[in-house]
Amino acid sequence: YRILDANARAESQYGYSKEEFLNMSFWDLGFKEDMEEMKYHFKNILDGRCVLFSKKSHRKKDGSRFYVNIHVCGVRFAGKNAFIATTIDITESVQKEAQLIQTSKLATLGEMAAGIAHELNQPLNVMKVGSDFLKKMIERGKKISDKDLKTVAQQISSQVDRASQIINHLREFARVSDIEAHEVNINEPIRNVFKILGQQLRLRQIEVELDLDENLPPIMADSNRLEQVFINLVTNARDAIEEKPSGDKLLKIKSFLDKNDVVVTVSDSGKGIPRNIMDRIFEPFFTTKEIGKGTGLGLSISYAIIRDYGGSITVESEEGVGTTFELRFPACFKHNKNTRH
């Protein structure tokens, strides 16, 4: 994969001279995590076909990172099989997309503020009861047995830990997430959703069923961004269930392996999606919610995040019965020796 030629625009963009380029490999321009994936696909384009690699990280001579779309075709060059690669700088659009995702994430946290307050109230109430017990016993001059004292101390300590975990998780979720992909067990961001939304769903008497395969291979993604996807899907399911006048209140999430794909289904028993708007639900700013109750960005941003990690999302729905979203991601087998094939 030695570089055979480079045009003046490449010299300007990357900061290398043509002579420097000719002493480099194409892989020297990128980062290891992207290169491993691309090497696999390069083997399949010598027959004249072309392939597009989206949102890959490249580095300039000064070490700075920028994002590119790379279009590669197999060609003949000086009598030999070769590749011609066109790289397009998309750093500005990636940064704007990241800002939009962050804005949507913070809007989600704002919308969930009441539910988060309920999540924190429970450990605070336990601590209040424990501290009031100690205060009253002291004021009455009564001796507190070592057993009672230890029990109260343990309860307060465990509830402080619980509240701390909720706050730390909110802080982690609110951070600006990275587009870079890492190995992720998809069950982790699914479970994290209920650290934020669990109490809110319980208060609405929505039953949650998790059927998660514990032996799944990892996928290449970012856990923080995937959590945002699942929060969007779960809050949409919650609203659909709430808007249905009667019937079961059930949310079910299932993860499983299907051939070479890690699959997650998110199903609800809500009001369903009308057939005439089914094709529009992933459009930016499209929403059926009242003004002030939805940005119309949740599903479109989820779609973009899933696509960034090589995945797909489809939906099936029946009015009055419910909706199921199916997410598929390529499984990452090479780093998991215990994965089933």
Side-chain angles (χ1 to χ4, degrees):
Y1 299 99
R2 184 170 56 87
I3 296 175
L4 304 176
D5 196 10
N7 65 9
R9 189 60 182 269
E11 295 179 59
S12 171
Q13 181 65 28
Y14 287 89
Y16 293 104
S17 67
K18 186 169 184 176
E19 290 71 23
E20 289 174 313
F21 269 127
L22 299 185
N23 288 312
M24 296 170 62
S25 162
F26 183 70
W27 308 127
D28 294 333
L29 301 176
F31 291 82
K32 184 179 178 181
E33 59 269 22
D34 285 333
M35 296 303 103
E36 291 301 319
E37 175 201 347
M38 291 176 65
K39 282 180 182 179
Y40 172 79
H41 292 288
F42 261 64
K43 298 173 183 177
N44 300 320
I45 53 180
L46 274 175
D47 59 1
R49 291 185 299 151
C50 301
V51 66
L52 174 67
F53 301 99
S54 299
K55 294 183 182 177
K56 299 303 179 186
S57 298
H58 268 197
R59 60 162 66 89
K60 300 185 180 184
K61 185 178 180 179
D62 64 7
S64 60
R65 180 192 292 257
F66 67 109
Y67 292 96
V68 292
N69 283 345
I70 308 171
H71 193 258
V72 183
C73 296
V75 296
R76 294 287 292 176
F77 182 86
K80 298 178 180 178
N81 287 327
F83 301 108
I84 182 167
T86 304
T87 62
I88 303 171
D89 186 350
I90 59 166
T91 306
E92 185 176 350
S93 65
V94 168
Q95 290 172 342
K96 287 180 178 178
E97 182 180 284
Q99 291 170 356
L100 186 62
I101 289 173
Q102 185 66 12
T103 299
S104 176
K105 188 187 296 184
L106 295 178
T108 299
L109 284 175
E111 191 268 337
M112 294 189 304
I116 293 167
H118 282 297
E119 292 285 351
L120 288 171
N121 263 339
Q122 192 165 347
L124 288 174
N125 286 337
V126 173
M127 286 185 274
K128 176 67 173 172
V129 169
S131 60
D132 283 349
F133 168 75
L134 295 178
K135 181 182 176 184
K136 287 178 181 177
M137 293 294 282
I138 293 170
E139 287 174 346
R140 293 171 182 174
K142 293 185 177 181
K143 178 176 173 58
I144 305 172
S145 69
D146 290 345
K147 181 180 178 181
D148 287 345
L149 193 59
K150 183 178 180 180
T151 299
V152 172
Q154 286 177 336
Q155 283 293 322
I156 291 176
S157 178
S158 66
Q159 295 305 316
V160 168
D161 288 342
R162 181 182 173 191
S164 179
Q165 287 172 0
I166 294 170
I167 292 167
N168 287 337
H169 185 71
L170 288 172
R171 185 186 296 118
E172 175 66 16
F173 176 71
R175 72 172 174 83
V176 178
S177 54
D178 200 346
I179 190 176
E180 302 303 324
H182 314 278
E183 286 191 5
V184 174
N185 181 324
I186 204 164
N187 293 336
E188 177 187 341
I190 293 172
R191 289 195 174 97
N192 284 343
V193 169
F194 298 99
K195 293 179 180 178
I196 297 176
L197 292 175
Q199 182 67 10
Q200 191 178 133
L201 295 171
R202 286 189 289 273
L203 289 171
R204 287 171 163 82
Q205 298 181 321
I206 295 174
E207 181 184 355
V208 177
E209 290 185 11
L210 295 183
D211 181 9
L212 307 180
D213 186 340
E214 299 299 336
N215 298 308
L216 289 174
I219 64 171
M220 297 302 295
D222 176 79
S223 185
N224 188 293
R225 287 195 170 195
L226 285 183
E227 183 177 339
Q228 184 175 3
V229 168
F230 290 119
I231 283 179
N232 288 337
L233 294 177
V234 169
T235 52
N236 280 348
R238 175 204 65 194
D239 294 344
I241 292 170
E242 289 276 281
E243 291 168 9
K244 187 177 176 180
S246 61
D248 295 337
K249 293 186 172 185
L250 178 63
L251 168 65
K252 184 173 182 178
I253 302 180
K254 182 178 181 179
S255 66
F256 57 95
L257 187 66
D258 181 24
K259 297 180 181 177
N260 292 326
D261 289 337
V262 171
V263 183
V264 176
T265 57
V266 180
S267 304
D268 68 69
S269 60
K271 67 173 186 176
I273 302 171
R275 188 175 296 277
N276 64 320
I277 66 168
M278 186 77 80
D279 294 338
R280 300 190 61 197
I281 62 172
F282 294 113
E283 292 179 9
F285 304 109
F286 177 78
T287 180
T288 59
K289 297 177 182 178
E290 297 175 23
I291 294 174
K293 290 190 176 181
T295 62
L297 288 173
L299 285 179
S300 64
I301 285 176
S302 296
Y303 179 88
I305 291 171
I306 292 165
R307 184 189 57 197
D308 281 346
Y309 299 124
S312 65
I313 179 170
T314 55
V315 59
E316 291 184 2
S317 186
E318 184 177 347
E319 287 190 74
V321 176
T323 301
T324 295
F325 286 90
E326 181 183 272
L327 289 66
R328 285 181 172 267
F329 296 91
C332 182
F333 290 111
K334 59 186 177 181
H335 300 303
N336 193 327
K337 296 179 182 179
N338 297 320
T339 298
R340 296 167 301 169
H341 291 267

